[in-house]
Amino acid sequence: MIVAGFGHRAGAEASSLSAALALAQAGGRPVTALAAPADKTALLAPLARALALPLIAVMPEALRSVDTPTRSPFSLNARGTGSVAEAAALAAAGPRARLVTRRHISPDRMATCAIAEGSFT
């Protein structure tokens, strides 16, 4: 399972998510699922449908339980994790997941995407 995890600011548009995914996925294997915090999945749903991929809603406690290499003060304050995108990807990819790419930021700085590989076993 290869999961693209997303974080985004209020007011982000679908183009921001697509751009962040393209940057994170450049040259890598195709993702098999998308993930975001449970309260932020609405914006991601159209992209998931367009790519015919499942969308995994990550609960707040799962985000907070993941240690991420990125330590954004904004993310730490808002969500209790250093990177929402990295935490969402790792949490959704399963207990032995590893980051394939750290977070990438869309050119408009409205969305982030990180990719993790793992399994649900």
Side-chain angles (χ1 to χ4, degrees):
M1 169 173 262
I2 301 172
V3 179
F6 290 85
H8 63 81
R9 295 175 185 250
E13 297 184 5
S15 60
S16 302
L17 298 170
S18 294
L21 176 60
L23 290 169
Q25 195 175 18
R29 295 185 354 225
V31 298
T32 58
L34 307 181
D39 64 328
K40 297 276 191 166
T41 57
L43 182 62
L44 199 54
L47 180 60
R49 282 192 299 274
L51 298 174
L53 294 174
L55 176 56
I56 301 167
V58 181
M59 302 311 292
E61 58 275 6
L63 289 174
R64 289 189 299 272
S65 72
V66 177
D67 187 32
T68 62
T70 300
R71 305 298 293 172
S72 162
F74 179 80
S75 292
L76 283 166
N77 186 49
R79 297 286 181 155
T81 186
S83 167
V84 172
E86 291 172 1
L90 288 164
R96 289 185 290 280
R98 66 174 184 82
L99 280 179
V100 175
T101 63
R102 290 173 69 163
R103 75 175 182 165
H104 284 74
I105 304 170
S106 64
D108 65 3
R109 305 197 60 79
M110 296 296 286
T112 59
C113 180
I115 298 177
E117 181 175 29
S119 67
F120 283 112
T121 60

